[in-house]
Amino acid sequence: MAANFTTDWLDTGDNAWQLTAASLVALQSVPGLVVLYAGIMRSKWAINSAFMAFYGFAATLIVWVLWAYKMGFGIYMLPFVGRPGPVVTMAQELGQSCLPSAALCQNFPLSTMVYFQFVFAAITIVIMAGAFLGRMSFRAWMIFVPLWITFSYTIGAYSLWGGGFLFQRGVIDYSGGYVIHISSGTAGFVGAHWIGPRLAADREDSRPNNILCVLIGAGILWIGWNGFNGGDPYAASADAGAAVLNTNVATAMSLLCWTICDMIYFKKPSVLGAVQGMITGLVAITPAAGVVAGWGAICIGFASGTIPWLSMNIMGKKVAYFRKIDDTLGIFHTHLVAGFVGGMCVGLFATVEGCAAFGLTNPGGAIEGNGKQVYLQLYGALFVIAWNMVWTSLIMCFIKYVLRIPLRMSEAELLAGDDAIHGEAAYVLGPCEAHEHLLAGHYIKRSETGPGELGMGGAIIGHDPHAGAAHEKSAAGNGAGSSEIKHD
């Protein structure tokens, strides 16, 4: 057996950190957001919500290695996209990572870079799914994922990171505030428009079925963000350390500000509100993590804990159009708004030292006398928003009108939830049907099954808790017990 060997370009420390950072980001999706989605939705949607994230992660990887990676990070084809192609040979996987359009090479193999960039593409899809939970057809989702990665995500990735026109113009997106968060927030909101709303009952009572699961997912998300932002210098460098510290400072500040806003406005601190504040802090610091100083991270945390709070709790509830669009988890506010805030803060607070440490030639932001950077950041954000609005709409219309696949589940599926769609249940608590209605999110299944029978539908969704009383009343009125209960 041939001995292991290293090459002149390989830095084992950089490679080890890059693989670690990639694994941390992967854990944010699976199990992080899988668990968070399962807990934050009603119990009737726990399986479907988790599975949408699980499927999206897997489908993205196959698309990525077959053609999408090279569209985002390969040889120039157009100013906004690279030439598609596979990365599946051993020679490719063992070769040095280079970004030809950006004229950059890294001290680790291409296989490491492909995986690192994949987990970013995957979490973008998983985040977007949060806007569609509770009603999108799973078949439509299966088709949407590869199409959106191909025609939308790769465009932002190449334009900003792969050496495309926004990269060349000097727009700064340190780790995905634009490529990931503005794109997922825009696509989620536009997609929610095309899919349509959840059932009225689901929207009116959207209490989570397990807040502790939400906190577990949130914790994985927060700590995993150390790899999210710390991995983007493509080296175990000083700037990676600065990015990790700034990420946590901004997130903590944002969580505190959101909680204080909740206490002032709603008179109570909310765990779910704190999670939202955590997410907006993570999102807002992402485009800026390694190019701003610690005080800049605090300012970004303050902005991300207040502006998206106002967007979600004031504008989102008082503006008619935002009430009409059923963005299930508020992805518009937590990702598009927060990502936009973070991007603008880059234009304001980027430092010369931070840009140089990241390998950029930009002379900082407005605080360094470079007010032009604010305009560049706005230009980049508007391009990402516009592209995703158009292409998300085109993909949704293609699925609905060309492939003739409904975007929204049938009414029967919407009423039943996981049982009708997957034939599985998140919680099977035993034969005591009389108490299943107490589970948050379980609805009465209108069926002909008698109250004494134990079928999968009954065990998952729960029979009418008043069925027994109605049965007894009917028996008393008729002088005899009937074996059937008539439903309205």
Side-chain angles (χ1 to χ4, degrees):
M1 180 181 290
N4 284 332
F5 66 94
T6 59
T7 58
D8 293 338
W9 50 260
L10 179 63
D11 185 311
T12 54
D14 287 349
N15 192 39
W17 167 238
Q18 208 65 33
L19 288 169
T20 301
S23 298
L24 286 169
V25 179
L27 288 169
Q28 290 182 291
S29 292
V30 180
L33 286 172
V34 169
V35 172
L36 191 152
Y37 287 176
I40 205 167
M41 293 296 289
R42 300 185 69 100
S43 59
K44 65 180 277 194
W45 293 116
I47 294 291
N48 181 255
S49 301
F51 197 11
M52 284 182 69
F54 207 47
Y55 166 83
F57 189 84
T60 299
L61 179 55
I62 302 305
V63 171
W64 199 245
V65 297
L66 290 181
W67 67 80
Y69 171 78
K70 285 195 171 182
M71 292 180 70
F73 299 91
I75 298 170
Y76 174 94
M77 185 173 76
L78 293 169
F80 50 82
V81 69
R83 188 183 304 164
V87 185
V88 293
T89 68
M90 185 56 75
Q92 288 174 311
E93 293 183 5
L94 293 177
Q96 184 178 9
S97 170
C98 287
L99 306 179
S101 297
L104 296 172
C105 288
Q106 294 76 43
N107 295 324
F108 48 75
L110 180 60
S111 52
T112 298
M113 178 63 94
V114 171
Y115 186 73
F116 181 76
Q117 295 298 347
F118 148 67
V119 294
F120 281 80
I123 200 171
T124 308
I125 280 288
V126 174
I127 289 168
M128 187 199 315
F132 306 154
L133 299 180
R135 85 280 199 185
M136 185 175 188
S137 160
F138 198 82
R139 285 199 303 156
W141 176 244
M142 292 177 71
I143 297 168
F144 177 84
V145 170
L147 291 176
W148 192 86
I149 287 292
T150 302
F151 294 107
S152 197
Y153 181 83
T154 58
I155 307 306
Y158 184 84
S159 298
L160 282 153
W161 290 342
F165 77 105
L166 294 177
F167 176 89
Q168 301 295 340
R169 294 198 65 169
V171 179
I172 299 173
D173 185 7
Y174 188 88
S175 196
Y178 288 12
V179 176
I180 295 170
H181 300 295
I182 288 184
S183 66
S184 61
T186 303
F189 191 74
V190 172
H193 164 82
W194 287 104
I195 296 167
R198 290 168 288 167
L199 289 178
D202 281 348
R203 295 189 72 180
E204 290 167 6
D205 187 357
S206 57
R207 290 171 296 170
N209 76 84
N210 194 325
I211 290 181
L212 295 181
C213 275
V214 174
L215 284 174
I216 291 170
I220 296 171
L221 200 62
W222 185 341
I223 304 308
W225 224 282
N226 291 340
F228 199 109
N229 290 345
D232 263 290
Y234 300 148
S237 65
D239 197 50
V244 169
L245 178 60
N246 287 338
T247 296
N248 285 270
V249 168
T251 303
M253 185 67 179
S254 183
L255 187 155
L256 297 178
C257 289
W258 195 291
T259 300
I260 291 170
C261 288
D262 277 348
M263 294 179 71
I264 292 172
Y265 191 77
F266 297 113
K267 311 304 181 185
K268 291 181 180 180
S270 164
V271 171
L272 292 179
V275 170
Q276 300 282 27
M278 177 206 80
I279 291 172
T280 57
L282 292 167
V283 169
I285 193 61
T286 293
V291 298
V292 298
W295 62 264
I298 292 174
C299 293
I300 290 173
F302 175 80
S304 65
T306 52
I307 297 173
W309 185 94
L310 290 168
S311 169
M312 177 177 283
N313 292 292
I314 305 300
M315 184 179 75
K317 294 180 179 178
K318 294 186 181 296
V319 177
Y321 185 72
F322 284 97
R323 293 201 309 270
K324 176 183 176 183
I325 303 299
D326 185 15
D327 174 1
T328 307
L329 300 185
I331 303 302
F332 174 90
H333 308 286
T334 56
H335 292 272
L336 192 158
V337 174
F340 186 86
V341 167
M344 292 300 101
C345 286
V346 172
L348 294 173
F349 303 130
T351 63
V352 172
E353 299 92 337
C355 289
F358 189 46
L360 302 176
T361 58
N362 301 55
I367 60 162
E368 302 280 11
N370 181 30
K372 179 184 176 183
Q373 194 63 46
V374 177
Y375 156 75
L376 289 174
Q377 296 302 119
L378 177 62
Y379 177 76
L382 292 178
F383 170 78
V384 174
I385 290 170
W387 187 275
N388 279 278
M389 287 178 65
V390 171
W391 278 93
T392 302
S393 295
L394 289 174
I395 293 168
M396 288 290 185
C397 290
F398 174 77
I399 294 171
K400 182 176 181 180
Y401 298 114
V402 178
L403 299 184
R404 301 289 182 177
I405 295 175
L407 299 175
R408 191 170 181 264
M409 298 176 191
S410 68
E411 290 298 312
E413 289 173 326
L414 290 170
L415 283 168
D418 290 340
D419 183 27
I421 304 155
H422 304 291
E424 296 169 311
Y427 307 101
V428 180
L429 303 180
C432 187
E433 291 183 309
H435 297 94
E436 284 175 352
H437 66 286
L438 298 177
L439 290 173
H442 280 241
Y443 290 123
I444 308 310
K445 182 176 182 181
R446 300 294 182 180
S447 69
E448 296 303 317
T449 306
E453 298 177 33
L454 276 177
M456 279 296 288
I460 292 170
I461 298 171
H463 290 291
D464 188 339
H466 304 296
H471 179 69
E472 292 172 5
K473 182 177 180 181
S474 175
N478 296 329
S482 172
S483 60
E484 289 284 325
I485 295 179
K486 302 296 184 184
H487 296 290
D488 295 334

